């Protein structure tokens, strides 16, 4: 079992930045690929970014590429999502997820564990 707890969400103006954190506990963090997803009201859950177990490879959704950066610190069992140049359309609940694998999973069904989420609101 892996427990995931997100933090760092909040209200920010368009063009601003936020850094989300996701702290993991329960199993060896470095065994898991990690991902970030988001869900806005009335919309389906959307893939944002993923990172492999070592942190050497990442992949982003086209809508955030160049603005968001996913990283991880295996010693701290934490994955981060640095979000720059935020736009109102980035407003959503952001959730991190863990996959017991070594790839770059992009589908929610590939993930084994999920956090509760943190709200990000971007005002115009």
């Amino acid at each position: 079992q892996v427990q995931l707890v997100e933090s760092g969400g909040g209200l920010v103006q368009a063009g601003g930045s936020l850094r989300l954190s996701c702290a993991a506990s329960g199993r060896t963090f470095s065994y898991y690929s990690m991902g970030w997803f988001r869900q806005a009201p009335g919309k389906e859950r959307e893939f944002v970014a993923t990172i492999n177990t070592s942190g050497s490879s990442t992949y982003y959704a086209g809508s955030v590429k160049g603005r968001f950066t996913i990283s991880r610190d295996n010693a701290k069992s934490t994955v981060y999502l640095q979000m720059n140049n935020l736009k109102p359309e980035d407003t959503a609940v952001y959730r991190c997820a863990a996959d017991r694998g070594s790839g770059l999973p992009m589908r929610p069904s590939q993930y084994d564990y999920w956090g509760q989420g943190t709200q990000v609101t971007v005002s115009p």
Side-chain angles (χ1 to χ4, degrees), residues 18-111:
L18 283 173
R19 187 195 197 200
L20 305 184
S21 299
C22 171
S25 61
R27 290 288 178 91
T28 304
F29 180 70
S30 61
Y31 290 173
Y32 293 82
S33 293
M34 299 297 295
W36 285 97
F37 290 78
R38 66 186 183 186
Q39 189 166 18
K43 294 187 177 181
E44 292 189 355
R45 186 167 36 187
E46 176 188 17
F47 165 77
V48 175
T50 183
I51 188 167
N52 68 346
T53 53
S54 66
S56 61
S57 295
T58 58
Y59 189 80
Y60 298 91
S63 58
V64 306
K65 192 172 184 180
R67 299 188 297 124
F68 291 12
T69 302
I70 188 171
S71 62
R72 66 189 294 159
D73 185 338
N74 285 346
K76 296 183 177 180
S77 298
T78 302
V79 63
Y80 305 97
L81 186 68
Q82 178 67 45
M83 306 185 295
N84 297 329
N85 191 21
L86 283 160
K87 303 176 181 181
E89 51 263 43
D90 294 319
T91 295
V93 174
Y94 284 71
R95 300 176 70 185
C96 66
D99 168 43
R100 185 56 170 96
S102 58
L104 294 170
M106 289 177 280
R107 298 191 303 273
S109 61
Q110 294 177 283
Y111 287 85

